[in-house]
Amino acid sequence: MPAATSRASATGSRRRSVRSGFLGTAVTLLAVTAVTVTAESPAMAAIGADRGAPGQGDPYFPLAGNGGYTTGHYDLDLAYDPATRQLDGAARITARATQELRTFDLDLSGLTVRGVRVNARAARWTRQGQELVITPRQALRKGEGFRVDISYGGVPENITDPDGSADGWITTDDGAFVAGEPLGAMSWFPADDHPLDKASYAFRITVPAGYTAVANGVLTSQRTTGGRTTFRWNQAEPMAAYLATATIGKFDVQQYTTASGIPVYTAVDPREAAGAAPALAQIPAILDWESTLFGPYPFAAAGAIVDHAPDVGYALETQTRPLYDRAPDVGTVVHETAHQWFGDSVSLTSWQDIWLNEGFATYAEWLWTEQHGGPTAQAQFDSYYARPATSSLWAFPTADPGQGANIFASPVYDRGAMTLQKLRTAVGDAHFFTILKAWARGHRYGNGTTAQFVALSEKVSGKDLGALFHTWLWTAGKPAQP
Ligand code: ARG
Ligand code: ZN
């Protein structure tokens, strides 16, 4: 594990090398078949017409998320015992059918389902891999609002990502580090686990007294009775499932409100406290600086969770409260905070567009350095451009990293940031910063696509940027011109 002493090594620590694949070809083919079931034959019509698809049809993760409905709210009532690693959960999900539904799916990996109710009536359910297939007593009509209650429990197992790193519910020596990108949410709650479907969340998490349970949004109450403490958290603005957390440990907690009025909650593992202090002290300054560049901070709360989870190897922009596996440096806090605008408030439509998250957050680091006495963003661009054509930086196109291990690799992060620097020099600072703000405002609490970002850039600047984006987003290999 590289020590996070310089910005470069800290950035490296967010990524992992290729170790294994996750969604094998067989799974993928199965998913594609299921998604494309149509009403062509009568038999298919019987199966297909009123069955919600098992995935959102994401080209990289076909089974992620589900079709046939959208969620509005998750109410997660959880109890966890770090000694036994037992998680007990009751999830209440409010949703709306977008088609007639005789059955529909949620994503859930591992754990034991004890019961499912739809609109308060017991429903039939089966488990098929990561799909929890639910058949309500009565079919749901297109447009109908409905409520699903799932009681479940067991010892959660984390998920291995395509790049070999772990995500989901990751046990630590004093609790759990809970991070869900891209597919980890389903390891601890039943979810429509794709960023296209965003919802509000309420958490009620009970842990033995002495432990702290930190989720997203605002802490609304904390009560200890009978040796157990219950934390209630409310995440009012829409959130993608992968950005949810319920991280548990023995933490030093600090709460304050910034001069600009944002409530901050930080939870820090005492073993990381000294190392984390300098970067955490910058949170108010980073929030203000990014608000100036990107527009108003999109959420009702902010903060950080600094855990001691040295095997994880990355930080995650969990909504309102980024999660660090160790004491972060300032660049990493700048990066995860920038994701609150780019990734969290404005979310991906497809995982293929991951550069819209990582390229932007990396570029925020470059801008911070430029505006705080370090090298300019152009100098950062130049030093990356100097890498030889054989460098992994040029291994695949920024906007099509490919299914598998590449969504967190250098062409997404570094070449993604280079693409924004190319855009900035092509359109000039005034237009460039207008574009960033307009992107954050125009897609706030929603989703965006690369094509929409390209169109916005051309509209604001009045320039044809087709060639620039073609080279920097869509062409593999080192561009001939810097
Ligand atoms: N989005 C995180 C970041 O801030 C990286 C997450 C890496 N996750 C993983 N499973 N490898 O860059
Ligand atoms: Zn990132």
Side-chain angles (χ1 to χ4, degrees), residues 253-280:
V253 171
Q254 275 183 29
Q255 284 180 268
Y256 60 92
T257 301
T258 67
S260 19
I262 302 169
V264 175
Y265 181 105
T266 62
V268 180
D269 187 302
R271 290 167 288 184
E272 303 290 341
L280 296 189

Side-chain angles (χ1 to χ4, degrees), residues 149-160:
D149 285 287
I150 296 148
S151 79
Y152 64 100
V155 175
E157 277 180 40
N158 61 249
I159 283 172
T160 304

Side-chain angles (χ1 to χ4, degrees), residues 27 91 177 188 200 267 338 364-365:
V27 176
F177 175 102
W188 60 283
S200 56
E365 292 183 68

